[in-house]
Amino acid sequence: MLRRLLRPAAPALWLAMLGAVALAARSSATNPLGHPPRPAGKITITWLGHASFLVVSPGGTQLLLDPWLRQNPSTPDSLKDSSRYHPAAILVTHSHFDHSGDAKAIALASGAPVVGSYDWVQTLGLPAAQVMGLNVGGTVKVGDVTIHAVPAVHGSVPDGRPMGFVLEFADGRNLYDTGDTWIFGDMALIQELYRPAIILLNVGGGPFTENPQTAALAVRKYFRPNVIIPMHYGTFPILASAADVRAAFRGDRRLKVMTPGETRVF
Ligand SMILES: [Zn+2]
């Protein structure tokens, strides 16, 4: 019966099915929150602007990275409201406002723990169950994701120290969030230990962090990712623009320049 139904209608049916798949892919790219897309076995990444991301693991664990939303000029208005986020954990690379600005509010609203530098997380005044302090070399597990704290060359006044994070997924892939670091030689050890397939790469430049050219050199010199997602640019005129980022990577097809609010699946 099924074969008889399929055979005469096959071309039209397949076209319709392909259309539905294309539509689903498109809607998952434009409807990141409220109903986060969760394609099984995939890593879903939504850029919330600047250094803020929502990452959903292949097993469905939602991690909010460096949430700075309400005052972030690059965050779309529809994504600024803290109450819409229900992550399994909030990860903060360092205490500067453009990385930690909404961490406490979202933690209080959602009950999610904050993962960050031990000395800084202690200062938030959160219930003990929501304090997940780490230091470089440390590891915590949240849902099906193992989170490793790695070094970053930057500042974190008044509290804690700057870090990057490596998210180790159950499917064997790793994602490296560089934080605000400059290039440094121990990136070779991050590659040796974790071989990240996806890098959320600070490229902002200006007075605060490495510029796109130096960030591109860091990837060329130390890493072999499949996907490079630039961040920390375009938020203010003093930072690098998307055109600057593209120019520095000279057509590298691994570079995925996203728009704030956009979701991609890997
Ligand atoms: Zn920053």
Side-chain angles (χ1 to χ4, degrees):
M1 179 64 181
L2 185 63
R3 206 190 272 169
R4 214 162 66 207
L5 272 176
L6 278 177
R7 201 182 289 151
L13 192 65
W14 280 110
L15 276 177
M17 286 171 68
L18 283 172
V21 168
L23 209 62
R26 205 178 309 142
S27 64
S28 78
T30 54
N31 178 26
L33 289 161
H35 304 283
R38 253 188 57 183
K42 300 287 188 183
I43 299 167
T44 303
I45 298 175
T46 302
W47 190 30
L48 304 172
H50 201 61
S52 305
F53 290 88
L54 182 68
V55 175
V56 186
S57 78
T61 301
Q62 292 189 38
L63 300 174
L64 190 57
L65 276 51
D66 281 353
W68 175 51
L69 307 170
R70 284 175 296 186
Q71 305 295 324
N72 183 342
S74 65
T75 301
D77 286 344
S78 62
L79 301 179
K80 287 181 186 290
D81 180 8
S82 301
S83 67
R84 67 181 307 148
Y85 297 93
H86 304 281
I90 301 160
L91 281 59
V92 178
T93 58
H94 61 294
S95 66
H96 292 164
F97 73 92
D98 60 319
H99 298 260
S100 66
D102 289 284
K104 183 172 179 178
I106 296 172
L108 290 173
S110 66
V114 177
V115 178
S117 174
Y118 179 86
D119 304 297
W120 172 74
V121 177
Q122 302 294 329
T123 69
L124 295 178
L126 292 169
Q130 287 181 259
V131 175
M132 293 183 85
L134 275 177
N135 213 324
V136 168
T139 292
V140 292
K141 183 142 191 188
V142 175
D144 64 337
V145 184
T146 303
I147 301 163
H148 304 273
V150 296
V153 179
H154 192 62
S156 189
V157 173
D159 296 295
R161 61 155 298 157
M163 301 190 298
F165 291 116
V166 173
L167 311 185
E168 183 181 343
F169 298 111
D171 68 0
R173 288 185 291 170
N174 293 335
L175 177 152
Y176 172 34
D177 176 345
T178 65
D180 272 8
T181 193
W182 186 64
I183 187 174
F184 58 99
D186 282 354
M187 284 178 166
L189 294 174
I190 296 174
Q191 169 67 13
E192 183 175 344
L193 287 167
Y194 303 114
R195 301 183 184 280
I198 300 172
I199 299 182
L200 308 182
L201 182 68
N202 160 46
V203 299
F208 309 119
T209 69
E210 68 183 2
N211 62 25
Q213 288 77 19
T214 308
L217 173 64
V219 174
R220 275 203 311 278
K221 195 171 173 64
Y222 295 116
F223 297 105
R224 299 285 179 273
N226 302 318
V227 172
I228 304 159
I229 298 176
M231 63 166 170
H232 210 278
Y233 68 92
T235 321
F236 306 107
I238 201 169
L239 300 182
S241 67
D244 296 333
V245 176
R246 285 198 172 90
F249 282 82
R250 297 185 216 140
D252 188 330
R253 295 174 68 112
R254 300 171 301 171
L255 184 76
K256 309 299 179 192
V257 176
M258 294 176 70
T259 305
E262 182 183 353
T263 296
R264 296 213 190 179
V265 176
F266 302 99

